[in-house]
Amino acid sequence: MGHLVFYLILAYILFELLFCFVFPVFHSDAWHLNRYLSENAKKRLSQFLDGGELLRPDDHSGWANSPDFELDNWVTDAYGARSKPFSPVSLTKPRRALLLGSSLINGGRLVKGSETISAYLDSDDIEAINFGAMGHQIDQSYHAYQQKLHKFNATDIIVGLTIGEIDGIQNMFIPFRWRNEAGLPYIKPRFKLSDQGLELVSAPYTKMLSRIPDSPELLELLKENDKFYFNFIMFK
């Protein structure tokens, strides 16, 4: 009986070693990525790429608010802002403040537009325009302003920060950082420090996402530039 128990334990240990270290070698990264992403995340990613969602793909910042979109209390204008109507060029008040950041800034879809931070900031002297987008990190806010939002001629820029910003600016593929975050299975740009200053890691993000899970060029990009790629390695 003792010998039987010993051999059963030995067989179990050998199976675990094979499962952990040998079996993965015979499967592609695409196979592992398909397992890593939840079915809900893959469904949300497909909907995101097809359009008609609260967020839309954006090759500058990864994603942005969909313009002229309404869901529950969430309403955006033609520019994707969650604010009162405004002139894109001329200022109607002495100061114009652009608010950038995540749902901390935009309030999320369950909060009325009149209950957002920008609504409370808006006054006779300040025109507050809310471009906060779900899950945006400070690098995305910076890049969105640099590429598009500067044209709104703001006198003040307000950026909401969270305690996870340091991790956020070192992350590109959201599921590698937050595997259980099925609502944001997207990719974002990031900046890296070089001798010339901030260097943008650029890539055709939307095209890469559309090929998931069979996207070797995406995984190669993430291997070199995403601090949280190790979560995927550990999963494999």
Coordinates of all heavy atoms in Angstrom, one line a residue, residues 23-63:
F23 N 4.4 20.9 -21.7 CA 3.2 21.1 -22.6 C 3.2 22.4 -23.2 O 2.9 22.6 -24.4 CB 1.9 20.8 -21.8 CG 1.7 19.4 -21.4 CD1 0.7 19.0 -20.5 CD2 2.5 18.3 -22.0 CE1 0.5 17.6 -20.2 CE2 2.3 17.0 -21.7 CZ 1.3 16.7 -20.8
P24 N 3.5 23.5 -22.4 CA 3.4 24.9 -23.0 C 4.3 25.1 -24.2 O 4.0 25.9 -25.1 CB 3.8 25.8 -21.9 CG 3.4 25.0 -20.7 CD 3.7 23.6 -21.0
V25 N 5.4 24.3 -24.3 CA 6.4 24.5 -25.4 C 5.7 24.1 -26.7 O 6.1 24.6 -27.8 CB 7.6 23.6 -25.1 CG1 8.6 23.6 -26.3 CG2 8.3 24.1 -23.8
F26 N 4.8 23.2 -26.7 CA 4.2 22.7 -27.9 C 3.0 23.5 -28.4 O 2.3 23.1 -29.3 CB 3.8 21.2 -27.7 CG 4.9 20.3 -27.4 CD1 5.2 19.9 -26.1 CD2 5.7 19.9 -28.5 CE1 6.3 19.1 -25.9 CE2 6.8 19.0 -28.2 CZ 7.1 18.6 -26.9
H27 N 2.7 24.6 -27.7 CA 1.6 25.5 -28.1 C 2.1 26.9 -28.4 O 3.1 27.3 -27.8 CB 0.6 25.6 -26.9 CG -0.2 24.3 -26.7 ND1 -1.2 23.8 -27.5 CD2 -0.1 23.4 -25.6 CE1 -1.6 22.7 -27.0 NE2 -1.0 22.4 -25.9
S28 N 1.5 27.5 -29.4 CA 1.9 28.8 -29.8 C 1.5 29.9 -28.8 O 0.6 29.7 -28.0 CB 1.2 29.1 -31.2 OG -0.2 29.3 -31.0
D29 N 2.1 31.1 -29.0 CA 1.7 32.2 -28.1 C 0.2 32.6 -28.4 O -0.5 33.0 -27.4 CB 2.6 33.4 -28.4 CG 4.0 33.2 -27.7 OD1 4.1 32.4 -26.8 OD2 4.9 34.0 -28.1
A30 N -0.2 32.4 -29.6 CA -1.6 32.7 -29.9 C -2.6 31.8 -29.1 O -3.6 32.3 -28.6 CB -1.9 32.5 -31.4
W31 N -2.2 30.6 -29.0 CA -3.0 29.6 -28.2 C -3.1 30.0 -26.7 O -4.1 30.0 -26.1 CB -2.4 28.2 -28.3 CG -3.2 27.1 -27.6 CD1 -4.3 26.5 -28.1 CD2 -3.0 26.6 -26.3 NE1 -4.7 25.5 -27.2 CE2 -4.0 25.6 -26.1 CE3 -2.0 26.8 -25.3 CZ2 -4.0 24.8 -24.9 CZ3 -2.1 26.1 -24.2 CH2 -3.1 25.1 -24.0
H32 N -1.9 30.5 -26.2 CA -1.8 30.9 -24.8 C -2.6 32.2 -24.6 O -3.3 32.3 -23.6 CB -0.4 31.1 -24.4 CG 0.4 29.8 -24.2 ND1 0.1 28.9 -23.3 CD2 1.4 29.3 -24.9 CE1 0.9 27.9 -23.3 NE2 1.8 28.1 -24.3
L33 N -2.5 33.1 -25.6 CA -3.2 34.4 -25.4 C -4.7 34.2 -25.5 O -5.5 34.8 -24.8 CB -2.8 35.4 -26.5 CG -3.3 36.8 -26.5 CD1 -3.0 37.4 -25.1 CD2 -2.8 37.7 -27.6
N34 N -5.1 33.3 -26.3 CA -6.6 33.0 -26.5 C -7.1 32.4 -25.1 O -8.2 32.7 -24.7 CB -6.8 31.9 -27.6 CG -8.3 31.8 -27.9 OD1 -9.0 32.8 -28.1 ND2 -8.7 30.5 -27.9
R35 N -6.3 31.6 -24.4 CA -6.7 31.1 -23.1 C -6.6 32.2 -22.0 O -7.4 32.2 -21.1 CB -5.8 30.0 -22.7 CG -6.0 28.7 -23.5 CD -5.0 27.6 -23.1 NE -5.2 27.3 -21.6 CZ -4.2 27.5 -20.8 NH1 -3.0 27.9 -21.1 NH2 -4.4 27.2 -19.5
Y36 N -5.6 33.1 -22.2 CA -5.4 34.1 -21.2 C -6.6 35.1 -21.1 O -7.0 35.5 -20.1 CB -4.1 34.9 -21.5 CG -3.7 36.0 -20.5 CD1 -3.0 35.7 -19.4 CD2 -4.2 37.3 -20.7 CE1 -2.6 36.7 -18.5 CE2 -3.8 38.3 -19.8 CZ -3.0 38.0 -18.7 OH -2.7 39.0 -17.8
L37 N -7.1 35.5 -22.3 CA -8.3 36.4 -22.4 C -9.6 35.7 -22.1 O -9.8 34.6 -22.6 CB -8.3 37.1 -23.7 CG -7.1 37.9 -24.1 CD1 -7.3 38.4 -25.6 CD2 -7.1 39.2 -23.2
S38 N -10.4 36.3 -21.2 CA -11.7 35.7 -20.9 C -12.6 35.8 -22.2 O -12.4 36.6 -23.1 CB -12.3 36.4 -19.7 OG -12.7 37.7 -20.1
E39 N -13.6 35.0 -22.2 CA -14.6 35.1 -23.3 C -15.3 36.4 -23.3 O -15.6 37.0 -24.4 CB -15.7 33.9 -23.2 CG -15.1 32.6 -23.4 CD -14.5 32.4 -24.8 OE1 -15.0 32.9 -25.8 OE2 -13.3 31.8 -24.8
N40 N -15.5 37.0 -22.2 CA -16.2 38.3 -22.1 C -15.2 39.4 -22.6 O -15.7 40.3 -23.4 CB -16.6 38.6 -20.6 CG -17.5 39.9 -20.6 OD1 -18.2 40.2 -21.5 ND2 -17.4 40.6 -19.4
A41 N -13.9 39.3 -22.3 CA -13.0 40.2 -22.8 C -12.9 40.2 -24.4 O -12.9 41.2 -25.0 CB -11.6 40.0 -22.2
K42 N -12.9 39.0 -24.9 CA -12.8 38.8 -26.4 C -14.1 39.4 -27.0 O -14.0 40.0 -28.1 CB -12.6 37.3 -26.7 CG -11.2 36.9 -26.5 CD -11.0 35.4 -26.8 CE -11.4 34.5 -25.8 NZ -11.0 33.1 -26.0
K43 N -15.2 39.2 -26.4 CA -16.5 39.7 -26.9 C -16.5 41.2 -26.9 O -16.9 41.9 -27.9 CB -17.7 39.2 -26.1 CG -19.0 39.7 -26.5 CD -20.1 39.2 -25.6 CE -21.5 39.8 -25.9 NZ -22.5 39.3 -25.0
R44 N -16.0 41.8 -25.8 CA -16.0 43.3 -25.7 C -15.0 43.9 -26.6 O -15.2 44.9 -27.2 CB -15.6 43.7 -24.2 CG -16.6 43.3 -23.2 CD -17.9 44.1 -23.4 NE -17.7 45.5 -23.3 CZ -17.8 46.2 -22.1 NH1 -18.1 45.6 -21.0 NH2 -17.6 47.5 -22.1
L45 N -13.9 43.2 -26.9 CA -12.9 43.6 -27.8 C -13.5 43.7 -29.2 O -13.3 44.6 -30.0 CB -11.6 42.7 -27.8 CG -10.6 43.0 -28.9 CD1 -10.1 44.5 -28.7 CD2 -9.4 42.1 -28.7
S46 N -14.2 42.6 -29.6 CA -14.9 42.6 -30.9 C -15.9 43.7 -31.1 O -15.9 44.4 -32.1 CB -15.6 41.2 -31.1 OG -16.2 41.2 -32.3
Q47 N -16.7 44.0 -30.0 CA -17.6 45.1 -30.1 C -16.9 46.4 -30.2 O -17.4 47.3 -30.9 CB -18.5 45.0 -28.8 CG -19.4 43.8 -28.8 CD -20.1 43.7 -27.4 OE1 -19.6 44.2 -26.4 NE2 -21.2 42.9 -27.4
F48 N -15.9 46.6 -29.5 CA -15.1 47.8 -29.5 C -14.6 48.1 -30.9 O -14.7 49.2 -31.4 CB -13.9 47.7 -28.5 CG -12.9 48.7 -28.6 CD1 -13.1 50.0 -28.2 CD2 -11.6 48.4 -29.1 CE1 -12.1 51.0 -28.2 CE2 -10.6 49.4 -29.1 CZ -10.9 50.7 -28.7
L49 N -14.0 47.1 -31.6 CA -13.5 47.2 -32.9 C -14.6 47.5 -34.0 O -14.4 48.1 -35.0 CB -12.6 46.0 -33.3 CG -11.3 45.8 -32.5 CD1 -10.7 44.5 -32.8 CD2 -10.4 47.0 -32.7
D50 N -15.8 46.9 -33.7 CA -16.9 47.1 -34.7 C -17.5 48.4 -34.6 O -18.3 48.8 -35.5 CB -17.9 46.0 -34.4 CG -17.5 44.6 -34.8 OD1 -16.5 44.5 -35.6 OD2 -18.1 43.6 -34.4
G51 N -17.3 49.2 -33.5 CA -17.9 50.5 -33.3 C -19.3 50.4 -32.6 O -19.8 49.3 -32.3
G52 N -19.8 51.6 -32.4 CA -21.1 51.6 -31.7 C -21.1 51.5 -30.2 O -22.1 51.2 -29.6
E53 N -19.9 51.5 -29.7 CA -19.7 51.4 -28.2 C -19.4 52.8 -27.6 O -19.1 53.8 -28.3 CB -18.5 50.5 -27.9 CG -18.8 49.0 -28.2 CD -19.8 48.4 -27.3 OE1 -19.5 48.3 -26.1 OE2 -20.9 48.0 -27.8
L54 N -19.4 52.8 -26.3 CA -19.2 54.1 -25.5 C -17.7 54.6 -25.9 O -17.5 55.8 -25.9 CB -19.3 53.8 -24.0 CG -19.2 54.9 -23.1 CD1 -20.1 54.7 -21.9 CD2 -17.8 55.2 -22.6
L55 N -16.8 53.6 -26.1 CA -15.4 54.0 -26.4 C -15.2 53.5 -27.9 O -15.7 52.5 -28.3 CB -14.4 53.3 -25.5 CG -14.5 53.7 -24.0 CD1 -13.6 52.9 -23.2 CD2 -14.2 55.2 -23.8
R56 N -14.3 54.3 -28.5 CA -13.9 53.9 -29.9 C -12.4 53.8 -30.0 O -11.7 54.4 -29.3 CB -14.5 54.9 -30.9 CG -13.9 56.3 -30.7 CD -14.4 57.2 -31.8 NE -13.9 58.6 -31.6 CZ -12.7 59.0 -31.8 NH1 -11.8 58.2 -32.3 NH2 -12.3 60.3 -31.6
P57 N -11.9 53.0 -31.0 CA -10.5 52.9 -31.2 C -9.9 54.3 -31.6 O -10.5 55.0 -32.3 CB -10.3 51.9 -32.3 CG -11.6 51.1 -32.3 CD -12.7 52.1 -31.9
D58 N -8.7 54.5 -31.1 CA -8.0 55.8 -31.5 C -6.5 55.5 -31.6 O -5.9 55.1 -30.6 CB -8.3 56.9 -30.4 CG -7.7 58.2 -30.8 OD1 -6.4 58.4 -30.6 OD2 -8.4 59.1 -31.2
D59 N -5.9 55.7 -32.7 CA -4.5 55.3 -32.9 C -3.5 56.3 -32.3 O -2.3 56.0 -32.3 CB -4.2 55.2 -34.4 CG -4.4 53.7 -34.9 OD1 -4.4 52.8 -34.1 OD2 -4.7 53.6 -36.1
H60 N -4.1 57.3 -31.7 CA -3.2 58.3 -30.9 C -3.2 57.9 -29.5 O -2.1 57.6 -28.9 CB -3.7 59.7 -31.1 CG -3.6 60.2 -32.5 ND1 -2.4 60.3 -33.2 CD2 -4.5 60.8 -33.3 CE1 -2.6 60.8 -34.4 NE2 -3.9 61.1 -34.5
S61 N -4.3 57.8 -28.9 CA -4.4 57.5 -27.4 C -4.8 56.1 -27.1 O -5.0 55.8 -25.9 CB -5.3 58.5 -26.7 OG -6.6 58.5 -27.3
G62 N -5.1 55.2 -28.1 CA -5.5 53.9 -27.8 C -7.0 53.7 -27.9 O -7.6 52.9 -28.6
W63 N -7.7 54.6 -27.2 CA -9.2 54.7 -27.3 C -9.6 56.1 -26.9 O -8.9 56.8 -26.2 CB -9.9 53.6 -26.5 CG -9.6 53.7 -25.0 CD1 -10.3 54.4 -24.0 CD2 -8.6 53.0 -24.3 NE1 -9.8 54.2 -22.8 CE2 -8.7 53.4 -22.9 CE3 -7.5 52.1 -24.6 CZ2 -7.8 52.9 -21.9 CZ3 -6.7 51.6 -23.6 CH2 -6.8 52.0 -22.3

